[in-house]
């Protein structure tokens, strides 16, 4: 601890100049407030004592107070900016001591001049004023220890001497109490001074460290900018290439589905099935890229509902059980733990979340678990907790090394795929999980041990069983489009023809054309009003689906629903479609999904 003597000496040299200069500047900064406070307090004290003390004495004392504070303010105002070097700071050290001694003796004289013999009430009032001034000085001036000690001494000592002069029991008790208070204030002031000096030392030490880190920060900022530019270039490339690639892929998927439906011979059917698998694998990779683009664009909004977790598990089990069986893995879903979600042999618990975003999270986690497990089991565990349900995807796969864990949620990162085997995906599954995690406000935790397996877990809120919905009903009969008039605007002849055939098989009356004007003219001739507009986003001559939607709605009303088909992934395009109120579908589109979205659009759902 710093000795009291060192504090009072307040040594200033080149070594401690930055700290001392900061203390001097802090003291100078507090000067105006200190002076104004004392100038306001002085006349109030005179008014309190006006009827008890000689008026001449009070007037002389008040004049003296204003004079010493005027001198103090003059010196402050003239030299307040001179704190640059050792000499200037030594000047202020001397001035603080001199001015503080002059001010404190002037205020301390009030303890003698205004002391009213025989009137304990006014004596107590005077003591309270002195105590308040002393406490205020100790707490508001930890910057220059010598001036603080001088001020406390000058304020308290005259009053202590006057109390001792009375030389009776009552006044000795008051003397003792005031002395104890003075000791307490000094002790508190010492702690405050040490704290302030330590904070200044740490501050300057930190500034040295900061200066050393500035170069690294500049390098990191430069690297970040390069990474952002690369990310923007990647997004721009995906947005540009996506439409051109998806357009033929959409036709390929439609033709592939049609081929599988019409193939009769065994070999033809087998080849059609292989083509379908290849197309689906390509679509899956595009879907991963698309999901990242849509999530980054911020157009995906969670639509939370109350639904049964068991329904989601049933839907997932049917898709992943064959994959696990093909690898001889024991696939268990659900494994209910320590709760009441296992009644009657199933997962009978309601949760509140977005069913489709939650499904995507689970699918990505389960897919990874099966992909990287070569023996053992994959389990989806469920545990009911107060107000929430804990979900875990556990596997006995290859595990994840500790140094790899911080990177697994990064885009395109695959720890066990250095050769970029396409069968192991693009490395976007966990990147999508991380983005959905933020939307659903649930934190995904990971624990893993190489050679033993991994566990990914998160929690979702419990739902209300009285407000249940059934988000996973997908029966074809539900999407009855019979008799619907559909306006189809698509510039690609092959896609337009195949899509028209599909819609007519679903019972729709389709009016199709390359341009909006063609479709409007055909509808006018047929005297038909469209129930739905299905439109490709990018059309000839710079026309977009947004313009077609405006034309159609101008002709048949703002309530006309629309489904926009696009291969673009640019965030501006996605936001524009989202703002129009249309349902957005990215190419290539499975016929079942197109049918479902057409039905939802005509029935006010999205």
């Amino acid at each position: 601890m710093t000795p009291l003597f060192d504090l009072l000496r307040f040594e200033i040299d080149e070594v401690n100049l930055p700290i001392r200069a900061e203390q001097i500047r802090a003291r100078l900064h507090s000067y105006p407030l200190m002076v104004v406070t004392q100038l306001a307090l002085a006349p109030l004290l005179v008014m309190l004592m006006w009827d008890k003390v000689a008026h001449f004495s009070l007037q002389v004392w008040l004049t003296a107070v204003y004079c010493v504070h005027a001198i103090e303010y003059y010196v402050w105002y003239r030299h307040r900016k001179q704190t640059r070097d050792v000499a200037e700071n030594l000047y202020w050290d001397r001035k603080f001591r001199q001015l503080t001694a002059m001010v404190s003796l002037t205020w301390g004289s009030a303890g003698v001049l205004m002391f009213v013999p025989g009137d304990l009430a006014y004596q107590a009032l005077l003591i309270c004023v002195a105590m308040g001034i002393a406490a205020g000085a100790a707490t508001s001036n930890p910057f220059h220890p010598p001036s603080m000690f001088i001020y406390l001494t000058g304020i308290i000592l005259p009053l202590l001497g006057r109390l001792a002069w009375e030389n009776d029991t009552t006044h000795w008790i008051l003397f003792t109490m005031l002395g104890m208070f003075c000791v307490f204030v000094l002790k508190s002031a010492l702690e405050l001074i040490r704290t302030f000096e330590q904070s200044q030392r740490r501050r300057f030490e930190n500034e040295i460290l900061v200066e050393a880190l500035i170069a690294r920060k500049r390098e990191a900022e430069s690297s970040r900018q390069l990474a952002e530019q690369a990310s923007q270039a990647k997004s721009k490339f995906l947005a540009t290439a996506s439409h051109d690639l998806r357009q033929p892929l959409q036709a390929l998927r439609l033709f592939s589905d049609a081929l599988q439906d019409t193939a009769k011979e065994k070999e033809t059917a087998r080849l059609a099935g292989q083509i379908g698998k290849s197309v689906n694998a390509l679509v899956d990779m595009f879907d991963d890229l698309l999901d990242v683009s849509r999530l980054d664009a911020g157009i995906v909004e969670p639509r939370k509902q109350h639904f049964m977790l068991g329904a989601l598990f049933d839907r997932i089990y049917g898709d992943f059980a064959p994959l696990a069986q093909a690898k001889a893995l024991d696939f268990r879903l659900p494994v209910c733990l320590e709760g009441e979600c296992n009644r009657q042999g199933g997962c009978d618990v309601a949760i509140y979340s977005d069913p489709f975003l939650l499904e995507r999270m689970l699918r990505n986690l389960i897919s990874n678990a099966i992909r990287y497990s070569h023996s053992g089991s994959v389990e989806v565990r469920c545990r009911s907790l107060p107000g929430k349900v804990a979900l875990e995807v556990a596997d006995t796969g290859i595990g994840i090394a500790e140094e790899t864990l911080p990177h697994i949620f990064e885009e395109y990162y695959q720890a066990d795929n250095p050769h970029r085997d396409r069968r192991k995906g693009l490395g976007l599954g966990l990147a999508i999980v991380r983005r959905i995690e933020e939307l659903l406000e649930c934190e995904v935790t990971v624990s893993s041990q190489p050679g033993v397996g991994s566990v990914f877990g998160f929690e979702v809120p419990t739902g209300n069983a009285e407000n249940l919905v059934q988000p996973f009903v997908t029966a074809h009969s539900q999407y009855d489009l019979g008799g619907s008039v559909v306006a189809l605007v698509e510039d690609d002849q092959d896609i337009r023809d195949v899509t028209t055939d599909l819609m007519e098989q679903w019972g729709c009356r389709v009016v199709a054309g390359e341009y909006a004007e063609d479709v409007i003219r055909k509808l006018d001739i047929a005297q038909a009003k469209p129930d739905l507009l299905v439109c490709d986003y990018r059309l000839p001559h710079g026309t977009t689906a947004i313009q077609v939607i405006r034309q159609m709605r101008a002709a048949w009303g703002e309530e006309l629903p629309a489904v926009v088909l696009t291969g673009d992934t640019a965030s501006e395009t996605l936001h524009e479609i989202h703002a129009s109120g249309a349902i957005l579908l990215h190419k290539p589109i499975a016929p079942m999904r197109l049918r479902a979205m057409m039905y939802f659009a005509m029935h006010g759902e999205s």
Side-chain angles (χ1 to χ4, degrees):
M1 296 178 65
T2 306
L4 181 61
F5 177 73
D6 289 341
L7 289 175
L8 293 177
R9 219 170 31 157
F10 201 72
E11 197 170 318
I12 302 175
D13 53 35
E14 292 292 346
V15 176
N16 64 11
L17 178 61
I19 296 176
R20 294 304 189 209
E22 190 63 29
Q23 289 177 284
I24 296 292
R25 282 192 288 269
R27 178 80 162 86
L28 292 171
H29 182 73
S30 66
Y31 240 117
L33 179 62
M34 294 167 57
V35 171
V36 169
T37 302
Q38 293 180 91
L39 289 177
L41 181 61
L44 294 177
L45 182 59
V46 168
M47 292 171 61
L48 286 173
M49 296 298 181
W50 190 257
D51 294 332
K52 296 293 182 178
V53 180
H55 293 176
F56 178 74
S57 298
L58 292 175
Q59 291 169 347
V60 171
W61 179 83
L62 184 61
T63 302
V65 168
Y66 279 126
C67 287
V68 296
H69 282 307
I71 295 171
E72 188 180 33
Y73 183 81
Y74 171 78
V75 174
W76 169 83
Y77 185 80
R78 184 173 180 181
H79 304 285
R80 66 187 185 280
K81 296 182 180 179
Q82 299 176 2
T83 59
R84 292 180 295 271
D85 53 32
V86 173
E88 290 180 347
N89 283 279
L90 286 172
Y91 167 83
W92 273 116
D93 179 42
R94 292 192 301 272
K95 285 300 176 183
F96 284 157
R97 296 170 192 258
Q98 296 166 3
L99 294 172
T100 302
M102 182 174 60
V103 171
S104 64
L105 289 174
T106 304
W107 275 90
S109 65
V112 177
L113 292 175
M114 300 183 190
F115 192 89
V116 183
D119 195 330
L120 282 176
Y122 274 89
Q123 293 173 18
L125 175 63
L126 194 60
I127 292 171
C128 288
V129 171
M131 291 169 66
I133 293 174
T139 56
S140 64
N141 181 28
F143 318 116
H144 188 251
S147 63
M148 190 202 69
F149 280 100
I150 291 171
Y151 191 83
L152 289 177
T153 302
I155 290 288
I156 298 296
L157 277 183
L159 185 56
L160 284 174
R162 188 63 185 83
L163 289 172
W165 184 265
E166 290 296 307
N167 197 25
D168 57 37
T169 304
T170 300
H171 287 87
W172 279 115
I173 292 174
L174 291 174
F175 177 93
T176 303
M177 294 173 62
L178 183 58
M180 292 175 62
F181 173 79
C182 186
V183 171
F184 172 78
V185 169
L186 285 173
K187 184 176 182 299
S188 301
L190 280 173
E191 293 297 326
L192 198 59
I193 289 169
R194 292 189 186 99
T195 301
F196 180 76
E197 285 196 3
Q198 289 173 1
S199 69
Q200 291 303 311
R201 287 195 181 92
R202 290 196 185 103
R203 172 191 162 190
F204 286 107
E205 289 172 359
N206 290 338
E207 285 181 356
I208 293 172
L209 293 175
V210 167
E211 289 175 1
L213 291 172
I214 284 178
R216 294 184 184 179
K217 182 180 178 182
R218 289 197 186 102
E219 292 177 4
E221 180 66 20
S222 176
S223 299
R224 184 188 64 81
Q225 291 177 355
L226 290 174
E228 286 183 352
Q229 290 172 2
S231 178
Q232 291 172 358
K234 176 207 71 175
S235 299
K236 185 176 181 180
F237 168 76
L238 288 176
T240 303
S242 179
H243 179 268
D244 296 335
L245 292 173
R246 284 177 178 275
Q247 193 75 353
L249 188 57
Q250 169 68 2
L252 181 60
R253 183 162 197 172
L254 292 174
F255 285 128
S256 173
D257 289 344
L259 180 60
Q260 292 180 66
D261 289 340
T262 57
K264 303 299 182 183
E265 297 181 6
K266 183 177 180 180
E267 182 63 19
T268 304
R270 185 184 68 80
L271 291 174
Q274 292 295 331
I275 292 172
K277 289 179 181 179
S278 298
V279 171
N280 289 335
L282 186 58
V283 169
D284 288 341
M285 287 191 287
F286 267 100
D287 283 344
D288 283 344
L289 290 169
L290 172 62
D291 283 341
V292 171
S293 299
R294 293 176 67 235
L295 290 166
D296 286 343
I299 66 166
V300 178
E301 298 176 359
R303 298 171 184 263
K304 296 187 177 181
Q305 300 172 333
H306 302 272
F307 63 97
M308 299 303 295
L309 184 57
L312 174 57
F313 284 165
D314 292 341
R315 178 181 171 92
I316 292 175
Y317 185 85
D319 291 337
F320 285 103
L323 298 178
Q325 185 178 2
K327 297 186 69 174
L329 296 174
D330 183 12
F331 182 55
R332 294 195 290 269
L333 181 160
V335 177
C336 296
L337 307 172
E338 302 177 12
E340 300 180 357
C341 62
N342 195 27
R343 293 191 298 235
Q344 300 176 354
C347 190
D348 189 14
V349 60
I351 60 173
Y352 181 65
S353 185
D354 184 305
F356 300 104
L357 291 177
L358 180 61
E359 178 185 13
R360 186 60 195 270
M361 278 185 69
L362 284 172
R363 283 182 177 275
N364 285 11
L365 294 174
I366 295 170
S367 177
N368 276 3
I370 293 176
R371 179 179 295 133
Y372 294 107
S373 296
H374 306 302
S375 63
S377 65
V378 173
E379 296 180 350
V380 180
R381 301 168 183 166
C382 171
R383 180 185 292 109
S384 286
L385 302 172
K388 55 191 176 183
V389 177
L391 298 174
E392 292 179 348
V393 177
D395 64 65
T396 57
I398 61 175
I400 305 169
E402 185 176 354
E403 63 272 14
T404 302
L405 281 174
H407 305 289
I408 60 175
F409 290 99
E410 297 174 2
E411 296 177 15
Y412 311 110
Y413 184 84
Q414 291 178 303
D416 192 47
N417 190 14
H419 303 296
R420 308 305 299 177
D421 183 349
R422 66 177 179 84
R423 292 172 297 178
K424 293 186 178 181
L426 293 175
L428 292 174
L430 291 180
I432 293 171
V433 167
R434 176 49 49 88
R435 287 161 170 80
I436 297 177
E437 163 197 76
E438 296 174 0
L439 290 175
L440 297 184
E441 300 175 343
C442 61
E443 181 182 0
V444 176
T445 59
V446 188
S447 60
S448 185
Q449 186 175 348
V452 176
S454 305
V455 178
F456 289 77
F458 59 94
E459 296 174 348
V460 292
T462 303
N464 186 343
E466 296 180 358
N467 297 320
L468 293 178
V469 298
Q470 295 181 347
F472 303 119
V473 175
T474 58
H476 285 222
S477 60
Q478 181 185 5
Y479 306 138
D480 183 10
L481 303 177
S484 302
V485 178
V486 179
L488 173 63
V489 182
E490 168 62 68
D491 61 314
D492 188 291
Q493 178 70 45
D494 293 336
I495 294 179
R496 186 166 68 245
D497 291 343
V498 175
T499 304
T500 299
D501 291 342
L502 276 173
M503 292 180 180
E504 288 177 348
Q505 291 175 24
W506 300 335
C508 300
R509 179 183 174 188
V510 184
V511 179
E514 183 177 0
Y515 302 100
E517 292 77 11
D518 295 340
V519 176
I520 293 174
R521 184 174 62 254
K522 290 178 183 179
L523 287 167
D524 287 338
I525 294 172
Q527 296 183 345
K529 177 182 178 181
D531 298 307
L532 174 68
L533 167 64
V534 177
C535 184
D536 186 22
Y537 177 76
R538 199 173 297 280
L539 297 167
H541 310 304
T543 305
T544 67
I546 306 302
Q547 296 166 288
V548 175
I549 290 172
R550 293 188 187 127
Q551 285 180 268
M552 292 288 189
R553 286 177 175 171
W556 286 288
E558 291 295 324
E559 68 280 359
L560 176 66
V563 174
V564 175
L565 315 178
T566 182
D568 287 330
T569 57
S571 60
E572 296 82 2
T573 300
L574 304 184
H575 280 296
E576 189 178 21
I577 297 172
H578 188 66
S580 72
I583 289 182
L584 169 63
L585 282 177
H586 278 89
K587 299 176 182 178
I589 306 156
M592 188 60 210
R593 178 176 294 185
L594 175 60
R595 180 175 181 174
M597 292 303 105
M598 290 170 61
Y599 178 87
F600 290 152
M602 287 190 289
H603 291 80
E605 302 180 50
S606 61

